[in-house]
């Protein structure tokens, strides 16, 4: 069967989409390009923000027409499936299967069951979480590889639905992770990103390698030039992890460190487990260990009870860190979460005004940071030809910034040195210096 997977959400969801694609291909199905021509459409969902959920239901409305017209098989996987469980069939009676994030390994079985007229649903945790163990084919990203090292979360931030839909923390055995990275290196992967809801608490309480020890193990694998991880919880960044940024040559000079708010009162209501000064202390320690490290983050504005003074604290924290980029959102109440019952809803007009002020200032900081790179020489991993011009190549610096420059397509997937000549709002322009050294 020809299938399409539509995806919403984070890098974890991207990776789950790759895993499902691999399972389906292993069962003889073929990835299609066009929803209208597909025999089956699988929608991999995210319910972290209300907007993503609204987009999902609007997509399902459109897919319902396809179902009526052509009998296209429709499946829903991921967080919304888990959140709704069997109720999803009442809300979307035309779908054939629903699988929670821990059950995506059953996607081929569900598809084949649907072809025979059957309906499949699977939710909840599996004791051995086979979905954690699926290794996706290296079909989409050439020399970049993604490895899930853990799933779930024990933190229960008051606004977040993840612990309810992705379950409690569960880490993969380090020897399996290391074997997977070794195998990737053997296939020519040079950049590895470790994925988990809170990678800093990898193997917390287990008699196995800690997260910094796992990073050291991967750093020693020949062929891996770049190592990244996402996502980190500020409270769990240990001195050992900070030290890794000064000692491990493959660990890239960038970190995604969600701060969510600069107000201690709001951080406490969010149940984040740190204060703004604690956060800044860790940022300083990281800068000391790794001068020039790029920080990105997530931030929520308009959390229940947020006053002007709280928002000003958020603006101050942003100014102090000078992030390279921030994913910022207006708070939206999610089912099951304790924040959904908090008093003090911020009126939408005020929340929008705060978000727009925040984003305007952050855009200016990002531009300053990109301009500050003019005149520097950086290592770029060439990811492909530019979408805008066949003579142009596009890649990323170790700090995660996009660089466009003129170059031969033969350099795609190589590490090259580039002089930065111009910094823009979202990217850098460079000039190629030499041919790949590694
Ligand atoms: S750390 Fe908090 S925000 Fe992140 S996944 Fe866990 S509960 Fe959600």
């Amino acid at each position: 069967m020809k299938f399409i997977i539509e995806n919403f959400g984070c890098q974890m969801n991207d990776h789950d989409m790759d895993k499902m694609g691999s399972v389906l291909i292993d069962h003889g199905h073929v990835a299609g390009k066009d929803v209208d021509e597909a025999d089956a459409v699988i929608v991999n969902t995210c319910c972290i923000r209300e907007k993503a959920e609204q987009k999902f239901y609007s997509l399902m409305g459109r897919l319902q027409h396809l179902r009526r017209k052509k009998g296209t098989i429709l499946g829903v996987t991921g967080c919304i499936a888990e959140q709704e469980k069997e109720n999803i069939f009442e809300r979307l009676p035309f779908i054939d299967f629903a699988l929670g994030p821990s059950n995506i390994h059953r996607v081929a079985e569900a598809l084949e069951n649907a072809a025979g007229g059957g309906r499949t649903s699977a939710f909840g945790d599996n004791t051995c979480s086979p979905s954690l163990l699926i290794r996706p084919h290296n079909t989409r990203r050439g020399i970049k590889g993604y490895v899930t090292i853990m799933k779930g979360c024990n933190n229960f931030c008051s606004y977040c639905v993840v612990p309810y839909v992705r379950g409690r923390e569960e880490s993969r055995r380090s020897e399996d992770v290391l074997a997977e990275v070794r195998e990737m290196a053997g296939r020519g992967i040079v950049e590895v990103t470790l994925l988990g809801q809170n990678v800093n608490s990898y193997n917390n309480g287990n008699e196995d390698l800690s997260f910094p020890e796992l990073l050291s193990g991967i750093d020693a694998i020949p062929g891996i030039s770049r190592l990244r991880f996402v996502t980190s919880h500020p409270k769990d960044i240990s001195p050992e992890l900070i030290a890794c940024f000064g000692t491990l040559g493959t660990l890239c000079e960038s970190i995604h460190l969600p701060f969510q708010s600069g107000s201690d009162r709001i951080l406490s209501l969010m149940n984040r487990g740190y204060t703004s000064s604690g956060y800044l202390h860790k940022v300083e320690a990281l800068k000391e260990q790794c001068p020039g490290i790029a920080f990105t983050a997530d931030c929520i504005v308009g959390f229940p009870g947020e006053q002007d003074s709280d928002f000003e604290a958020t603006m101050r924290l942003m100014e102090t860190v000078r992030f390279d980029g921030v994913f910022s959102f207006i708070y939206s109440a999610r089912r099951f979460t304790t924040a959904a019952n908090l008093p003090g809803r911020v009126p939408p007009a005020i929340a929008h005004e705060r978000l727009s002020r925040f984003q305007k200032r952050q855009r200016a900081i990002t531009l300053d940071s990109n301009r500050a790179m003019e005149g520097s020489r950086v290592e770029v991993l060439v990811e492909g030809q530019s979408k805008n011009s066949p003579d142009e190549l596009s890649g990323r610096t170790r700090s995660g910034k996009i660089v466009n420059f003129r170059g031969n397509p033969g350099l795609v997937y190589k590490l090259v040195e580039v002089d930065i000549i111009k910094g823009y709002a979202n990217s850098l322009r460079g000039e190629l210096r030499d041919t790949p050294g590694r």
Side-chain angles (χ1 to χ4, degrees):
M1 267 185 276
K2 204 180 267 184
F3 69 87
I4 295 263
I5 305 178
E6 296 279 348
N7 195 45
F8 290 87
C10 56
Q11 269 181 314
M12 292 285 285
N13 264 28
D14 280 354
H15 195 51
D16 283 351
M17 176 178 77
D18 288 349
K19 288 176 176 177
M20 284 193 284
S22 291
V23 169
L24 291 169
I25 289 166
D26 285 344
H27 279 74
H29 304 291
V30 181
K33 288 201 170 74
D34 187 345
V35 166
D36 289 317
E37 286 176 6
D39 304 304
V41 179
I42 298 145
V43 186
N44 193 35
T45 60
C46 172
C47 60
I48 289 195
R49 277 176 253 289
E50 195 178 15
K51 211 167 175 182
E53 200 166 333
Q54 285 165 353
K55 274 165 83 177
F56 159 69
Y57 282 110
S58 125
L59 172 67
M60 292 315 291
R62 294 201 299 280
L63 291 176
Q64 186 180 9
H65 294 298
L66 213 57
R67 166 64 166 217
R68 280 206 202 104
K69 206 166 100 191
K70 295 183 56 220
T72 308
I73 291 171
L74 298 178
V76 176
T77 58
C79 293
I80 292 181
E82 187 69 43
Q83 175 183 273
E84 298 297 323
K85 296 194 168 57
E86 296 296 343
N87 294 337
I88 200 159
F89 294 109
E90 279 172 35
R91 196 145 180 202
L92 304 171
F94 51 88
I95 65 169
D96 298 283
F97 61 89
L99 305 173
S102 294
N103 289 279
I104 56 168
H105 60 287
R106 294 182 60 185
V107 65
E109 171 198 330
L111 189 66
E112 285 146 23
N113 188 27
R119 182 176 260 185
T120 308
S121 59
F123 312 108
D125 263 346
N126 284 279
T127 43
C128 60
S129 288
S131 60
L132 252 181
L133 305 177
I134 304 168
R135 293 187 189 185
H137 295 307
N138 183 33
T139 50
R140 286 203 317 139
R141 294 186 179 93
I143 35 148
K144 292 167 78 171
Y146 295 78
V147 182
T148 307
I149 63 165
M150 65 176 308
K151 72 172 196 68
C153 184
N154 295 345
N155 283 316
F156 290 91
C157 300
S158 66
Y159 53 84
C160 181
V161 73
V162 164
Y164 305 96
V165 293
R166 294 239 172 200
R168 298 299 97 77
E169 282 174 7
E170 184 186 353
S171 299
R172 282 178 68 191
R173 292 188 322 169
S174 62
E175 62 187 88
D176 293 338
V177 173
L178 290 166
E180 186 169 343
V181 177
R182 269 187 223 107
E183 184 262 337
M184 283 176 154
R187 280 194 278 125
I189 298 278
V190 298
E191 178 177 308
V192 170
T193 302
L194 306 179
L195 299 174
Q197 253 86 33
N198 180 17
V199 289
N200 306 142
S201 53
Y202 172 76
N203 269 335
N204 215 353
N206 294 350
E207 295 218 345
D208 192 354
L209 298 186
S210 66
F211 187 55
E213 288 166 342
L214 180 74
L215 293 177
S216 299
I218 295 174
D219 183 69
I221 295 176
I224 300 299
S225 302
R226 292 181 169 194
L227 177 55
R228 304 184 190 279
F229 56 83
V230 72
T231 287
S232 293
H233 193 304
K235 79 173 167 51
D236 295 321
I237 296 255
S238 63
E240 292 77 19
L241 177 56
I242 292 171
C244 287
F245 280 91
T247 55
L248 304 183
T250 61
L251 193 56
C252 288
E253 295 79 19
S254 69
I255 186 165
H256 186 72
L257 200 55
F259 67 96
Q260 307 301 8
S261 172
S263 155
D264 290 347
R265 197 177 63 83
I266 297 296
L267 285 170
S268 168
L269 285 172
M270 287 176 165
N271 192 31
R272 288 290 286 173
Y274 55 86
T275 59
S276 57
S277 64
Y279 181 93
L280 290 171
H281 183 73
K282 292 192 175 175
V283 164
E284 278 314 308
L286 283 159
K287 284 181 176 173
E288 210 168 283
Q289 230 7 279
C290 183
I293 186 170
F295 289 92
T296 55
D298 301 337
C299 173
I300 296 171
V301 301
F303 189 79
E306 185 187 77
Q307 305 288 326
D308 283 345
S309 56
D310 299 308
F311 176 66
E312 292 309 328
T314 294
M315 293 292 284
R316 278 199 300 281
L317 189 141
M318 170 182 63
E319 294 285 354
T320 307
V321 179
R322 297 191 67 78
F323 294 97
D324 285 76
V326 178
F327 298 101
S328 48
F329 305 92
I330 291 176
Y331 168 78
S332 61
R334 309 311 293 136
R335 213 186 318 167
F336 313 126
T337 63
T338 52
N341 300 318
L342 284 176
R345 283 293 157 88
V346 176
I350 292 177
H352 279 100
E353 189 274 323
R354 286 178 188 164
L355 182 69
S356 138
R357 229 181 99 200
F358 181 93
Q359 291 182 335
K360 187 174 172 203
R361 184 64 196 124
Q362 180 54 49
R363 275 196 298 275
I365 292 173
T366 304
L367 179 61
D368 281 353
S369 156
N370 288 349
R371 282 184 177 153
M373 290 185 71
E374 291 172 7
S376 65
R377 184 168 292 181
V378 292
E379 178 198 272
V380 173
L381 180 57
V382 186
E383 296 184 356
Q385 285 176 274
S386 158
K387 289 186 192 97
N388 303 327
S389 161
D391 300 334
E392 295 264 313
L393 300 177
S394 186
R396 276 185 197 267
T397 65
R398 286 174 62 89
S399 61
K401 291 185 186 274
I402 296 170
V403 187
N404 297 306
F405 57 99
R406 290 178 76 82
N408 186 312
L411 293 175
V412 170
Y413 297 162
K414 301 280 185 354
L415 285 162
V416 297
E417 294 224 309
V418 172
D419 286 341
I420 302 303
I421 53 172
K422 188 82 187 149
Y424 298 107
N426 299 312
S427 64
L428 304 166
R429 167 143 296 280
E431 270 175 6
L432 183 66
R433 287 315 305 166
D434 64 10
T435 47
R438 286 191 254 181

